[in-house]
Amino acid sequence: MKLRIFAGLLLLPFLFLLPGCNVVPPAQGDFTRFYLLSAPPQPAAAAPAAPAAPHGLRLGLRSVAVAEYLRSRSMVVRQGANELSLDEYDRWAEPLDTGIARILRTSLVAAPNVDRVLAQPFPLDGDRDFDIAVTVLQCEGVRPESGRVTSRFSALVEIASVGPRHKVVAHLNFVAPDSSWNGHDYAQLAGDLSEAVSGLAREIVAALPAAPRE
């Protein structure tokens, strides 16, 4: 009897190799989708173009910080007043602060009164007129308990002069207009939030003081 049990145990692993035995579940496809913020296309230069300012501003993008709950790669959707949904399959392709900083640099340097935009760590020979610090408070979709589904973006901005007379010259409390979102198209949500970041860049440019170089 013991010999039969022992022989049965020896044969057990080979039973899994018999045709039709599917003990390992089939591999599941990866349904994850990744999204990027995108800068708006720059218009083609008109001819003749207006001459650029001889001494455009030199800016430093000192920091772009996002609220703690936005640091996940998952795209965030607010459900009602206090509930957040982080979608497992719809994710940012890069950290959100990195993407926002990229769009801000691209949009700022395209402004006619800006010569260049430097990012941290600043080079030793990178003279700057103003430094800009951005804190993003909201960058998400919103599905309210009732009412219109939207995207939402808001940020605080500090613009400070650089040098021995360092001082804060402007504060911005930016709130992008809510845009309609259908609640499930995350490519559209990424596009809406991209436009909001570009709108933030336009507000920063409008708030910059004139600073002629010496």
Side-chain angles (χ1 to χ4, degrees):
M1 183 67 179
K2 292 183 178 179
L3 182 60
R4 291 180 180 178
I5 294 174
F6 180 71
L9 292 174
L10 288 177
L11 291 173
L12 186 60
F14 296 98
L15 295 178
F16 294 108
L17 300 178
L18 294 176
C21 292
N22 187 13
V23 296
V24 178
Q28 299 295 319
D30 185 359
F31 300 105
T32 308
R33 294 172 293 269
F34 295 91
Y35 301 91
L36 283 170
L37 294 171
S38 57
Q42 299 300 322
H55 301 300
L57 297 176
R58 301 161 296 182
L59 306 178
L61 190 56
R62 190 171 78 234
S63 63
V64 175
V66 299
E68 186 71 30
Y69 75 94
L70 294 172
R71 294 183 182 179
S72 168
R73 287 292 186 91
S74 297
M75 299 180 78
V76 175
V77 176
R78 187 176 295 274
Q79 311 268 86
N82 304 106
E83 180 183 352
L84 297 177
S85 171
L86 278 67
D87 197 293
E88 179 182 358
Y89 295 111
D90 295 285
R91 302 171 64 85
W92 293 112
E94 61 186 340
L96 192 55
D97 54 350
T98 301
I100 292 172
R102 174 173 53 81
I103 302 306
L104 287 177
R105 287 196 302 271
T106 301
S107 300
L108 290 172
V109 80
N113 59 330
V114 175
D115 180 39
R116 60 181 175 177
V117 180
L118 301 174
Q120 289 272 35
F122 298 131
L124 295 178
D125 59 348
D127 293 336
R128 308 181 310 281
D129 298 306
F130 299 103
D131 279 349
I132 299 167
V134 178
T135 301
V136 177
L137 305 178
Q138 297 172 303
C139 185
E140 62 215 40
V142 181
R143 295 191 190 104
E145 295 176 356
S146 62
R148 188 167 59 109
V149 180
T150 65
S151 63
R152 188 171 296 167
F153 181 91
S154 64
L156 300 176
V157 180
E158 180 183 276
I159 303 174
S161 60
V162 179
R165 296 183 178 180
H166 169 85
K167 66 176 181 178
V168 176
V169 297
H171 279 109
L172 295 177
N173 185 356
F174 176 81
V175 179
D178 289 350
S179 59
S180 294
W181 176 48
N182 61 19
H184 57 80
D185 185 346
Y186 285 84
Q188 180 198 348
L189 178 60
D192 291 344
L193 295 173
S194 297
E195 174 54 36
V197 178
S198 298
L200 171 62
R202 292 191 292 269
E203 290 289 323
I204 292 173
V205 170
L208 288 171
R213 297 184 191 176
E214 297 178 359

